[in-house]
Amino acid sequence: MKRLLGYLLSPVYLLVFGLLLVVFHPIQIVCRLVGGYPLRKKSVDILNFLLIYSLVILGTRIRFRGFEQLPQGRPFIIVSNHQNTLDIPPIVWGFRKHHPKFVSKKELGKGIPSISYNLRHGGSALIDRKNGRQSIVEITKLGKHIEKEQYCASIFPEGTRSKTGLVKSFQPAGIASLLRAAPSAWIVPFVIDGNSRLMQKGYFPLAFGTRLTYTVLEPIDPSGRDVKELTLEIENKIKAHLNQA
């Protein structure tokens, strides 16, 4: 029955998903022109709330955990496992009070309604993964930005998505660049659990009745820590939470 419901309801959710992106693109533009960054951000928050909770169409159960642990009065870096494109809305919504910015491949900066506009105008770092120098420059700019404004940055150190949900090796370079530019930032390990099951067969059919859990683990003060060892520790904590240790 669940499989049948997945086939029947996936087109409905995907239609809603696409319409939300198309409708909120001009809303973002107008909000930015009328009210600048604050108003545009509110529109982005609402969009991502709707993107997440419209998953109830598919019988999805959603839970956010551990957000009461977030550092206050300082910037921080969200270090997360990466399963698919649906990883972004829970970060935008869950961390909305801390103005999350992303380290994203430059290809996402154009061609996608709402998403590309937000990446270009929301302060995120758009990197060329074939150009190490450009990547470091952009990530450093992002680090300085979150340090100044006491915002947070989100990075997926696996580099690419894990379609199976199994966590790949974390690479420390991006984390190191952010920490150099934002020396007062703490690290917030963030566990995404369930998105890979939701999209086990790609965009069609999406799985019906999936449980999605988004968990903040205990924040880490990186002061005086070796970044490679710190990155491995974060990777192992996320794996342990997913029972992959």
Side-chain angles (χ1 to χ4, degrees):
M1 178 59 72
K2 283 189 174 182
R3 184 177 179 183
L4 176 60
L5 288 171
Y7 275 98
L8 292 175
L9 295 175
S10 291
V12 179
Y13 173 73
L14 292 172
L15 177 61
V16 170
F17 185 92
L19 284 174
L20 286 170
L21 294 185
V22 170
V23 168
F24 271 84
H25 188 87
I27 291 174
Q28 273 196 74
I29 294 173
V30 172
C31 286
R32 179 169 174 260
L33 291 174
V34 172
Y37 172 81
L39 187 59
R40 189 199 62 80
K41 181 188 177 300
K42 288 183 180 178
S43 73
V44 172
D45 292 344
I46 294 169
L47 166 63
N48 283 275
F49 170 83
L50 294 173
L51 290 175
I52 298 167
Y53 285 100
S54 59
L55 282 166
V56 297
I57 293 168
L58 289 161
T60 305
R61 291 162 290 175
I62 301 162
R63 186 179 181 188
F64 288 85
R65 301 174 58 193
F67 281 77
E68 70 282 353
Q69 302 181 85
L70 292 178
Q72 302 297 321
R74 67 167 63 244
F76 59 86
I77 300 164
I78 306 161
V79 180
S80 175
N81 58 313
H82 192 18
Q83 297 186 352
N84 54 52
T85 54
L86 294 179
D87 297 345
I88 305 301
I91 294 176
V92 175
W93 177 249
F95 293 92
R96 63 193 179 280
K97 294 180 181 179
H98 301 270
H99 301 254
K101 314 300 176 188
F102 292 88
V103 177
S104 176
K105 60 183 181 181
K106 68 173 186 178
E107 289 82 1
L108 296 179
K110 56 184 178 181
I112 308 172
S114 288
I115 294 173
S116 296
Y117 190 85
N118 182 41
L119 288 172
R120 292 198 310 273
H121 297 284
S124 293
L126 293 171
I127 65 171
D128 182 351
R129 292 191 292 188
K130 297 179 181 178
N131 186 335
R133 181 181 177 84
Q134 183 269 355
S135 298
I136 291 173
V137 168
E138 290 300 312
I139 292 173
T140 299
K141 284 167 57 179
L142 173 58
K144 290 179 178 179
H145 183 52
I146 67 167
E147 177 76 11
K148 178 182 177 182
E149 303 293 341
Q150 295 192 349
Y151 290 167
C152 69
S154 176
I155 188 168
F156 300 112
E158 290 168 282
T160 58
R161 306 166 192 165
S162 172
K163 295 180 181 179
T164 63
L166 294 175
V167 177
K168 300 178 182 180
S169 296
F170 282 13
Q171 304 302 314
I175 298 172
S177 295
L178 283 171
L179 286 174
R180 280 194 297 269
S184 68
W186 279 31
I187 300 291
V188 173
F190 185 57
V191 185
I192 293 171
D193 186 11
N195 284 6
S196 60
R197 294 190 296 274
L198 177 66
M199 294 184 65
Q200 191 171 8
K201 297 183 181 295
Y203 284 97
F204 187 83
L206 296 167
F208 182 87
T210 307
R211 185 191 298 272
L212 306 180
T213 306
Y214 306 113
T215 306
V216 169
L217 302 183
E218 184 177 358
I220 301 170
D221 180 357
S223 301
R225 298 286 305 274
D226 178 82
V227 177
K228 289 184 179 179
E229 291 180 0
L230 177 61
T231 302
L232 181 60
E233 177 185 331
I234 298 165
E235 177 188 332
N236 289 335
K237 283 179 181 257
I238 291 175
K239 284 181 175 178
H241 191 86
L242 293 169
N243 296 316
Q244 296 179 18

